[in-house]
Amino acid sequence: MEFLQYIIFPAEIRSFSKLDGYGSINYKVSLANGTDYLVKVYKASEQKQIQEEERIIALIQASSGIQLTAPAPVKFLSAIPADIYIRVSEFIGGVSLNKELATDTLLADIAGATATMLTRLQKIDSDIVKAREHDWNVRDALRNKSKIDFIEEASDKKIVIYYLSLFEHEIIPAFQNLRHSVIHGDLNEANILVKENKVQGFIDFGDISHAPVICELAILLTYIMMMFPDECFEKAKIIIAHFHKTFPLTEKELEILPQLIATRLSVSVCKSAEAKAAAVDTDYILISEKPAWHLLHKWIAVNPIYIVNVFKNAAGFSAQIPDTLNLLKERKKVASPGLSLSYRKPIHMTAALFQYMYAADGNTYLDAYNNIPHVGHCHPAIAEAASKQIRKLNTNTRYLFESYVSYSGQLLSLFPASLDKVFLLNSGSEASDLATRIAKTVTGKKGVAVLEWSYHGHTQNGINISSHKFDKQGGSGPAEWILRLPLPKAFNGRHPTAKAYFEEAKKLIEDFENKGISLAAFIAEPISGCGGQVPLIDGYLKLLAPYLQAKGILIIIDEVQTGFGRLGNWFWGFEMHGIVPDLVVLGKPIGNGHPMGAVVTSAAVTNAFNNGMEFFSSFGGNPVSCETGKAVIATIKNEGLQQNALEVGAYWLEQLRFLQKEFPVLGDVRGEGLFIGVECINEQGKENTALAQEITNALKEKFILTSTDGPLNNVLKMKPPLCFTKENVDRYIETLYTILKANQQFWFTSKKGG
Ligand code: PMP
């Protein structure tokens, strides 16, 4: 009764109840004469704002005929406390919208009524509303940035950071050219009253805002799509089509609609996280929390081009048609024919996010293949770090700057103590090149031992140490200073044990050196990527390392593919083999796509390398790269990505081994963490290239990116961004299952089997 005593109602109060609300204290009051009232109690400081709301409500009510919570003609006692302002409205009939009531007809009616109300709102000029900033106004979404830290899950947080930064960098500038108006600003289901499959009225103008008109539709759509997550685009089409009939939208407005929906969802989860952290009366504000997260997670997995096209089509505009064929033609004009494209029909990419890639035709690909975007495509933490620094200072290592030191320190802290020096470079090729140069300079010898089917880079030296290049088409075999050792492979290998591989390597090294060229280095990947995702047979490096060290041959381990936590159990692949190399080559994931590379080694090696010749790389170790590298390390840690690689990778391997039982053509399932290979074989146990190729192309047709590798390209290769989830694995496995079932003709490829 606390506040009701100040109001003189036209009849006796029969009952009253407190209602959920946000920003004001609300009561429903039922009188003995049968009328119901809504009483809202505000702080007196809000009086000007509330009276403006009342003025606006009265204007639209009169001209649109839509029922709104207009002030009711009741009287007040003159002695109302000075610190409150009370508004009483007649209760509008009907009930709040909910999923059961939301028929397509009703959705169409809601869209039409929203458009009608907006048409009226557009005519209203209000300096008070214009000037008012608040967290829920989509225009002011960035006010919520400070609340991001209340979000507990790092994998959730990154989505909100991404969408709010997109809002900041793309939407705010776009706003300048759009129509603005007063809008209701909060057409969530609780504020839409319905009766008999029609809109009864709109309530709660507490979030009335001045914003681009499209925000009104974005907010309505957000709540309807949350209500129907599995049919969200079908429902959106109905809303847009009917809204557009009364309130014609422009293409520009429709183009930013998907991002505005993502912005509204982001604001909503920020507000929920803040409310939770403050442990305030959260029930009302937390209603949307779960559906908002659900829709946000769905949103990242859908190409924005697709959404824009759906929205534009609903309004009768035609979809964008990409000129992919022309792009291909133009590329051929400027590029060498040796520059390849994946797949029989190449994919024209326009954008990517985390483990999803978006193509120009609107399709979304699940990326099970690209390991360069290690922490996820276009991760906002990386984009932010790099773009902030590139606006500030980008110079070279001949000047002192802090990030060179802090980044080098952070990187080295990830290695055993004996590896305490780093050379910062621009690519894996540059790193393998420098590592071999260091080994040659330090030892004064010139031979290099490599593994069969190795790949370490595309520079002249890179090709020389890459059997995958010099032994394949266009290559001219090993240079005279190269010793090629057999790839120590457990499955279908030439030896059954590590010991046998070691004995053979020892013999080959001795024979090679006896011919007059001493070895400066041995280089290998812990799991051979181009060899076909082949983990070097367990024990091989452990046996080989002391032998090489005794002979003064430096061990270079190439972690370009395997490093930075991808293997799950180990941060570096050499740890899996229980050795500490003399030099480590880093690339790809180190910069999440920003071109970086590094060589990590010991003080003893760098001292011996320092023969008076300056070491300098124009771009290596520049401040932008250092900040990017720091952001990569921080993100791996913050998001627990090594652990995710371990868990998701183990699950994937388990599922593949399960599949292998039904499909023996999956001859060997191998790998660690999120670095996985599946060797396809035929009925004779031999390489089945045709099947592997068929699977890769069929997966692509089902919008999953993978590739093949191995000398005969018969190994399916999976090495996704480390944010890959178990749900992503499920989709991969289900799709692979369907493909294997449908392609039994590829099981038998030997002559005997046809
Ligand atoms: N080493 C390995 C194991 C690689 O996979 C690659 C690239 N595929 C490189 C070195 C060369 O790295 P980059 O392409 O950055 O020069």
Side-chain angles (χ1 to χ4, degrees), residues 73-103:
V74 292
K75 293 200 173 70
F76 292 94
L77 287 177
S78 47
I80 300 173
D83 60 342
I84 59 165
Y85 176 75
I86 300 177
R87 188 172 93 198
V88 184
S89 330
E90 270 188 40
F91 223 84
I92 303 175
V95 291
S96 287
L97 178 68
N98 62 47
K99 194 169 178 175
E100 284 63 47
L101 296 173
T103 62

Side-chain angles (χ1 to χ4, degrees), residues 354-418:
F354 306 128
Q355 67 272 44
Y356 301 101
M357 296 191 79
Y358 309 135
D361 58 7
N363 285 315
T364 307
Y365 290 87
L366 173 63
D367 188 356
Y369 177 63
N370 288 291
N371 56 345
I372 297 173
H374 192 65
V375 303
H377 288 273
C378 304
H379 194 292
I382 315 302
E384 181 70 16
S387 59
K388 227 171 160 177
Q389 186 60 41
I390 207 166
R391 285 194 290 265
K392 198 170 163 195
L393 173 73
N394 194 10
T395 184
N396 65 68
T397 50
R398 288 196 180 120
Y399 302 101
L400 260 180
F401 51 89
E402 192 279 335
S403 59
Y404 183 87
V405 180
S406 52
Y407 175 53
S408 300
Q410 287 178 24
L411 187 59
L412 289 171
S413 75
L414 302 168
F415 285 87
S418 61

Side-chain angles (χ1 to χ4, degrees), residues 203-494:
I203 59 169
D204 190 358
F205 281 68
D207 285 339
I208 198 164
S209 311
H210 194 267
V213 293
I214 190 68
C215 293
E216 189 83 303
L217 179 61
I219 293 165
L220 173 66
L221 280 173
T222 302
Y223 290 95
I224 301 298
M225 292 175 99
M226 274 199 269
M227 197 180 266
F228 293 97
D230 298 329
E231 306 153 81
C232 61
F233 294 114
E234 285 71 33
K235 303 299 175 187
K237 277 195 237 173
I238 297 169
I239 300 269
I240 293 170
H242 286 85
F243 183 94
H244 185 71
K245 261 191 223 160
T246 304
F247 193 105
L249 295 160
T250 66
E251 288 195 72
K252 287 259 167 303
E253 284 166 339
L254 288 159
E255 278 160 14
I256 63 160
L257 195 47
Q259 288 170 6
L260 286 177
I261 292 169
T263 306
R264 176 65 178 202
L265 290 168
S266 301
V267 168
S268 174
V269 294
C270 279
K271 294 291 281 181
S272 306
E274 181 193 37
K276 258 183 166 170
V280 292
D281 181 14
T282 51
D283 289 357
Y284 181 70
I285 195 169
L286 293 181
I287 292 171
S288 326
E289 192 193 19
K290 256 194 164 164
W293 278 121
H294 184 66
L295 195 56
L296 271 175
H297 281 274
K298 185 178 175 112
W299 222 239
I300 64 169
V302 186
N303 190 332
I305 295 176
Y306 170 84
I307 309 179
V308 168
N309 287 344
V310 168
F311 289 0
K312 277 191 175 176
N313 276 331
F317 294 107
S318 46
Q320 293 173 27
I321 301 181
D323 200 356
T324 303
L325 280 179
N326 190 46
L327 188 63
L328 190 62
K329 207 174 88 200
E330 294 299 314
R331 171 169 150 139
K332 282 188 179 152
K333 275 193 205 161
V334 293
S336 142
L339 191 79
S340 73
L341 277 163
S342 294
Y343 303 110
R344 291 170 197 149
K345 196 170 154 232
I347 312 173
H348 175 181
M349 292 296 184
T350 51
L353 184 59
F354 306 128
Q355 67 272 44
Y356 301 101
M357 296 191 79
Y358 309 135
D361 58 7
N363 285 315
T364 307
Y365 290 87
L366 173 63
D367 188 356
Y369 177 63
N370 288 291
N371 56 345
I372 297 173
H374 192 65
V375 303
H377 288 273
C378 304
H379 194 292
I382 315 302
E384 181 70 16
S387 59
K388 227 171 160 177
Q389 186 60 41
I390 207 166
R391 285 194 290 265
K392 198 170 163 195
L393 173 73
N394 194 10
T395 184
N396 65 68
T397 50
R398 288 196 180 120
Y399 302 101
L400 260 180
F401 51 89
E402 192 279 335
S403 59
Y404 183 87
V405 180
S406 52
Y407 175 53
S408 300
Q410 287 178 24
L411 187 59
L412 289 171
S413 75
L414 302 168
F415 285 87
S418 61
L419 297 174
D420 57 355
K421 296 280 180 187
V422 62
F423 295 86
L424 297 177
L425 307 157
N426 310 289
S427 69
S429 300
E430 195 188 352
S432 67
D433 195 307
L434 178 66
T436 34
R437 180 160 76 88
I438 292 173
K440 288 181 184 184
T441 307
V442 167
T443 60
K445 303 184 231 169
K446 68 175 201 176
V448 179
V450 305
L451 294 179
E452 242 176 338
W453 313 122
S454 56
Y455 180 71
H456 301 291
H458 73 88
T459 58
Q460 179 63 66
N461 180 69
I463 301 296
N464 282 336
I465 60 174
S466 299
S467 150
H468 176 73
K469 291 289 181 192
F470 66 66
D471 276 334
K472 289 182 90 171
Q473 204 178 354
S476 43
E480 87 286 351
W481 50 275
I482 291 291
L483 167 63
R484 185 209 303 106
L485 298 174
L487 176 63
K489 186 178 180 221
F491 177 79
N492 274 358
R494 55 196 271 148

Side-chain angles (χ1 to χ4, degrees), residues 369 371-372 426-432 454-459 462 465-466 523-530 558-562 585-588 595-597 675 709 717 719:
Y369 177 63
N371 56 345
I372 297 173
N426 310 289
S427 69
S429 300
E430 195 188 352
S432 67
S454 56
Y455 180 71
H456 301 291
H458 73 88
T459 58
I465 60 174
S466 299
I523 182 166
E525 287 180 276
I527 299 180
S528 169
C530 290
D558 182 336
E559 297 275 0
V560 168
Q561 301 257 1
T562 48
V585 169
L586 303 177
K588 290 191 191 231
M596 289 171 69
F675 198 62
D709 224 322
K717 186 169 176 173
K719 45 183 184 119

Side-chain angles (χ1 to χ4, degrees), residues 662-677:
E662 186 171 341
F663 301 99
V665 279
L666 306 180
D668 190 31
V669 172
R670 57 190 178 231
E672 293 291 338
L674 287 173
F675 198 62
I676 293 174

Side-chain angles (χ1 to χ4, degrees), residues 566-582:
R566 173 165 296 279
L567 303 187
N569 273 316
W570 305 276
F571 200 83
W572 304 114
F574 62 78
E575 293 166 327
M576 159 186 167
H577 293 288
I579 63 152
V580 176
D582 298 291

